[in-house]
Amino acid sequence: MARMRSAWWSSCVVVLAAGSCGFPRLPELPTGELELLAGDIGGFGNEDGTGAAAHFHSPDGVAVDSAGNVYVADRFNSTIRKVTAAGVVTTLAGTAGVVGSRDFVGAGAAFARPQGVAVDPTGNVYVADTDNATIRKITAAGVVTTLAGTAGMLGSADGRGAGAAFNVPRSVAADSAGNVYVADAGNHTIRKVTAAGVVTTLAGTAGMLGSADGTGAAAHFNAPSGVAVDSAGNVYVADAGNHTIRKVTPAGAATTLAGTAGMSGKADGTGAVARFLNPEGVAVDSSGNVYVADGNATIRKITAAGVVTTLAGTAGMPGSADGTGAAARFSEPSGVAVDSAGNVYVADSGNDAIRKITAAGAATTTLTGAADMVGSADGAGSAARFRGPSGVAVDGAGNAYVADQINDTIRKVTTAGDVTTLAGVAGPGTGSADGTGAAARFAFPAGVAIDGAGNVYVADRLNATIRKVTPAGVVTTLAGTAGMVGSADGTGAAARFSDPSGVAVDSASNVYVADRSNHTIRKVTAAGVVTTVAGTAGISGNADGTGAAAGFYFPMGVAVDRAGNLYVTDTSNETIRKITPAGVVKTLAGAVGVPGSSDGAGAGALFNLPTGVAVDDAGNVYVTDSSNATIRKVTPAGVTTTVAGVAGVTGIALGADPRFAAPQYLAIVGDSIVITDTNAVLLLRHGAP
């Protein structure tokens, strides 16, 4: 097992993708040795085959046709797969690991991390090609064309074909007339695309997140992630950021069918009494029942009268078990579809599997695919198991702290690769309890940072809170109230956040937060006083400027240097931003709304969903360019180069020619970089062994 080296004094730390003081200057080397520090680099794949012999990589959306064939948006393989009723899997279009936007036939076509899929009565398949920001069409013969949008051109424009623009389209649904409905998550809108490719906005206003019911532009959504359409043309929406299920009539009138905006949870009940946790996918049957892939690791059912029950799974108990009702286990269910007989199909993303729930008895089986070698085991090196590790921070002794997101725990990895659980417990389910060690609970912790005293700060994403963990594992809530989503400044429990994703800490123990769904950067003092550093809550944008005049678009990572400058991965803008101590925001690198992988200076460099960021003592910024599967470096002058990985080539490969699958966050340690990727913690060594 490789050992990390710590080359700076113990009072200096590296945080989530963020730095605070006294970092060493990394050697000017283009690549380095990639080593496994802890976890598993296998488990997912792209093989066609039958049942468990087939493999997927984070399947996201599913659709089912009248013959019982299931179509899958196999997100990280960038392919569209077909599964017969007997569980035989083939690849309909695209080639695993090849990311692009090419129209062609079958394997010659290219997609970029597609997340949504739908099928019409004639067998045409429609795809939300998320990272390309386009809607694609695949004929039954496998011919792929672009129905609407232009690859790489993010926006919100209505229009025909290439004249229209989308921003993070997450899901699609198709009606019998060939109209396609789109959950345009980055714009917070629901769009409609006719068979001729004419795009209009059915409900919501681009860039204006909220939860208001109303007609057309008067309605507001918060990162809608799933759509379904019934025979009458009503559209059902998984309004993920609001934790609600919405209904939009053909005239664009939006109402809330179930759940209460800003109130996350897991309760069954009628209408506003019910609670959801970042619902991802929806489907509707011929009787008007709506099925929901809920972030509680459950599949929910809503009757036409708004009565919510749990169809399968147990809230907060992720896993991969088949079984009936509550005995079944899911891991990050993201997409659902329902056939004419009432059977429900689930894209079980965290298990890399497609599941089936029978109409009679709600018995869950695995139709195809196999669960990853994931888990929550402590241990040394490859014997340890993680589930979607996200944020990472390193202390002065070289120990790494990891937000083990799906396990709802904070893990510690020593320089020798020994893994222990510092706080939280995997399995019992998400929660928000303060306490010591296993008595504490988290809900999808995303980012971590560590101060000079060894305290770990956590962006507890789905609780919408900022937590503090002492070196002894004592967990308290520093700011925010669990389940209360909003954007309020204030002290402690009075403050509100929305999907906080990244954190950094300075030498005075001020914590900085990438408050993702508020499109803002926040500051939390050691006393828990929260203020907004830059951006305006609920207003997405890309403008440089001071304080509230600046605009961000789903920022995910934040870092701070010893001079108090902040660096931000402005993820949906595809840019790297810098904020001075006076709150002046400028764009350091990247072209707004133009994804790509080009190296270059300033706007001449292109990124594709950058997530994590760290900064060294010389002011060089390092970025996990997630959808490019690369690690990038940006100099203080804004010159970007690729440090490791090859854009569009996915799959973890160790050694002198490193490859990544979907790198999430990173931290600098000595002359190396620690990176979280899929189910592993990796070490990119830059210096001599």
Side-chain angles (χ1 to χ4, degrees):
M1 175 58 59
R3 298 182 67 88
M4 299 184 293
R5 289 175 290 169
S6 179
W8 66 95
W9 54 92
S10 62
S11 64
C12 291
V13 296
V14 180
V15 295
L16 155 88
S20 64
C21 62
F23 301 128
R25 185 174 303 191
L26 294 186
E28 300 294 326
L29 298 178
T31 60
E33 292 277 345
L34 185 66
E35 303 169 2
L36 175 67
L37 183 60
D40 175 61
I41 63 172
F44 51 80
N46 56 60
E47 292 83 5
D48 289 338
T50 302
H55 290 99
F56 301 85
H57 192 178
S58 298
D60 204 295
V62 286
V64 60
D65 66 19
S66 58
N69 298 300
V70 178
Y71 300 87
V72 181
D74 196 6
R75 184 183 183 193
F76 283 113
N77 279 323
S78 291
T79 55
I80 306 302
R81 316 286 290 277
K82 180 180 177 179
V83 187
T84 69
V88 179
V89 180
T90 54
T91 301
L92 179 64
T95 297
V98 177
V99 179
S101 63
R102 189 183 185 208
D103 288 340
F104 206 71
V105 180
F111 303 85
R113 310 291 200 276
Q115 290 187 255
V117 64
V119 59
D120 70 18
T122 61
N124 295 303
V125 176
Y126 301 89
V127 180
D129 197 6
T130 306
D131 286 9
N132 277 324
T134 55
I135 306 303
R136 315 287 291 279
K137 178 180 178 179
I138 310 173
T139 68
V143 178
V144 180
T145 54
T146 301
L147 179 63
T150 298
M153 297 298 290
L154 278 65
S156 60
D158 289 336
R160 181 186 294 270
F166 301 87
N167 195 345
V168 196
R170 287 284 310 273
S171 178
V172 286
D175 66 19
S176 58
N179 297 302
V180 178
Y181 301 86
V182 182
D184 198 7
N187 282 322
H188 310 292
T189 54
I190 307 302
R191 315 287 291 280
K192 178 180 178 179
V193 188
T194 68
V198 177
V199 180
T200 54
T201 301
L202 180 63
T205 298
M208 296 291 291
L209 66 84
S211 61
D213 289 337
T215 300
H220 290 147
F221 301 86
N222 188 349
S225 62
V227 285
V229 59
D230 66 18
S231 58
N234 297 300
V235 178
Y236 299 86
V237 181
D239 198 5
N242 281 322
H243 310 291
T244 55
I245 306 302
R246 314 285 291 280
K247 178 180 179 180
V248 184
T249 69
T255 55
T256 301
L257 178 63
T260 297
M263 299 293 289
S264 62
K266 57 189 177 182
D268 288 338
T270 301
V273 172
R275 294 288 182 269
F276 301 88
L277 184 64
N278 287 93
E280 290 284 325
V282 286
V284 59
D285 67 19
S286 58
S287 299
N289 297 301
V290 177
Y291 301 87
V292 181
D294 192 14
N296 282 309
T298 54
I299 307 303
R300 315 286 290 278
K301 179 180 178 180
I302 310 173
T303 68
V307 179
V308 180
T309 54
T310 301
L311 181 66
T314 297
M317 297 288 286
S320 62
D322 290 339
T324 300
R329 294 289 182 270
F330 302 88
S331 178
E332 290 187 276
S334 55
V336 286
V338 60
D339 65 20
S340 58
N343 299 302
V344 177
Y345 301 86
V346 181
D348 198 6
S349 183
N351 282 319
D352 289 328
I354 307 303
R355 316 287 291 280
K356 180 180 179 180
I357 307 171
T358 62
T364 300
T365 57
T366 301
L367 180 62
T368 186
D372 289 349
M373 289 294 293
V374 297
S376 61
D378 290 338
S382 60
R385 290 289 180 268
F386 299 86
R387 297 181 63 133
S390 185
V392 60
V394 179
D395 67 17
N399 299 300
Y401 297 82
V402 177
D404 197 6
Q405 190 166 236
I406 303 174
N407 278 324
D408 299 311
T409 52
I410 307 302
R411 314 288 290 281
K412 178 181 178 179
V413 187
T414 70
T415 57
D418 294 321
V419 179
T420 53
T421 301
L422 177 65
V425 61
T430 58
S432 60
D434 289 337
T436 301
R441 295 289 184 270
F442 300 87
F444 265 55
V448 289
I450 187 167
D451 67 17
N455 298 300
V456 178
Y457 300 88
V458 181
D460 199 5
R461 182 183 167 197
L462 296 188
N463 278 324
T465 54
I466 306 302
R467 315 287 291 280
K468 179 180 178 180
V469 188
T470 70
V474 179
V475 179
T476 54
T477 300
L478 179 64
T481 297
M484 298 294 289
V485 177
S487 62
D489 288 340
T491 301
R496 295 289 182 268
F497 302 87
S498 182
D499 198 18
S501 297
V503 285
V505 61
D506 67 18
S507 58
S509 293
N510 297 302
V511 178
Y512 300 90
V513 182
D515 199 7
R516 183 174 182 266
S517 290
N518 278 324
H519 310 293
T520 54
I521 306 302
R522 316 286 291 281
K523 177 181 178 180
V524 188
T525 70
V529 179
V530 179
T531 54
T532 300
V533 174
T536 299
I539 306 295
S540 59
N542 56 57
D544 288 339
T546 301
F552 300 88
Y553 216 157
F554 291 121
M556 290 189 68
V558 61
V560 58
D561 67 19
R562 65 187 305 175
N565 298 297
L566 301 177
Y567 301 87
V568 179
T569 49
D570 198 5
T571 304
S572 290
N573 274 326
E574 314 288 0
T575 55
I576 310 303
R577 315 288 291 280
K578 179 179 179 179
I579 310 174
T580 70
V584 179
V585 180
K586 69 174 185 177
T587 301
L588 183 64
V592 174
V594 182
S597 60
S598 303
D599 289 337
L606 298 179
F607 299 85
N608 197 343
L609 296 185
T611 51
V613 59
V615 59
D616 69 16
D617 198 38
N620 297 302
V621 177
Y622 295 83
V623 178
T624 47
D625 199 6
S626 183
S627 283
N628 278 324
T630 54
I631 306 301
R632 315 288 292 279
K633 175 184 174 181
V634 187
T635 69
V639 178
T640 301
T641 54
T642 299
V643 171
V646 176
V649 179
T650 59
I652 296 174
L654 306 178
D657 190 18
R659 296 290 185 271
F660 303 92
Q664 295 300 301
Y665 292 98
L666 76 171
I668 299 170
V669 55
D671 56 6
S672 302
I673 302 174
V674 180
I675 302 158
T676 55
D677 190 342
T678 317
N679 296 313
V681 181
L682 307 173
L683 178 67
L684 181 64
R685 186 182 295 278
H686 274 242

